[in-house]
Amino acid sequence: MRLSALALTVTLAAGAALAHEGVQNPAVMERMDLMKGIGAETRALGEMVQGKTAFDPVRAAEARAALTEAAARIPSLFEARETDPKSEALPAVWEDWTGFVAQAEAMEAAARDLQTGSAQALRNSFADLGQSCRACHEDYRLDD
Ligand code: HEC
């Protein structure tokens, strides 16, 4: 896959810890935590794809399962229009709810389609997952 896109996905997965500080609204915290978990699993896979860590089919399969499950939870955790000064969710999430849910479903499909049997197979299937993050963030998350 294109290395720049991969690097971007890994950076995106890594960059978020600070965004959490000072969040008041527990519902916003919960959806941020979901994304943070998604970020951590994606990073684990991205590092295997990049060769920063050794390919581990068991860990990769765990990440695939966690990402598939997490993607399925996105709609329920974002549905209520909860706000917080620290939130990076754009109003478009609720103004275009159908489109937002479609992006969550696209991520769920990409996660389910991850191939974790070999490093090469993982590499080939990882691009679609990264694309699903970027597509949603572009329209529904601040600064992306
Ligand atoms: C359906 C839309 C959608 C998809 C798909 C999606 N995200 Fe997000 N993500 C968001 C929104 C919206 C926020 C901002 C939430 C907030 O601040 O209230 C966010 C926030 C984040 C954050 C910051 C969390 C924090 O600590 O505040 C990370 C990290 C993240 N996403 C990673 C990912 C990765 C990696 C993927 C792909 C595997 C992904 N996201 C897929 C919508 C999505």
Side-chain angles (χ1 to χ4, degrees):
M1 73 177 287
R2 284 162 303 140
L3 212 64
S4 57
L6 173 60
L8 207 81
T9 302
V10 174
T11 312
L12 167 153
L18 291 174
H20 267 97
E21 249 163 67
V23 175
Q24 311 275 336
N25 182 337
V28 171
M29 188 58 138
E30 204 185 343
R31 73 189 186 210
M32 283 178 163
D33 279 342
L34 180 75
M35 281 296 157
K36 202 176 147 194
I38 288 172
E41 297 299 322
T42 302
R43 184 164 71 243
L45 291 177
E47 287 177 352
M48 285 185 213
V49 167
Q50 286 180 313
K52 285 187 180 170
T53 55
F55 173 69
D56 174 350
V58 174
R59 179 69 187 93
E62 278 171 12
R64 173 184 178 274
L67 286 166
T68 306
E69 197 185 311
R73 294 182 63 213
I74 293 174
S76 63
L77 288 192
F78 278 84
E79 189 164 17
R81 190 170 184 158
E82 299 282 353
T83 56
D84 187 281
K86 295 280 181 176
S87 173
E88 296 179 327
L90 291 174
V93 171
W94 300 279
E95 285 160 10
D96 178 26
W97 179 247
T98 312
F100 182 81
V101 170
Q103 297 288 7
E105 285 168 353
M107 181 195 147
E108 190 180 345
R112 185 171 290 121
D113 287 349
L114 283 169
Q115 304 295 316
T116 57
S118 73
Q120 188 59 49
L122 179 63
R123 192 169 296 126
N124 293 341
S125 56
F126 187 73
D128 283 352
L129 180 74
Q131 174 53 33
S132 76
C133 316
R134 280 191 299 281
C136 189
H137 289 175
E138 202 169 278
D139 288 343
Y140 302 102
R141 184 185 173 195
L142 201 65
D143 289 340
D144 261 29

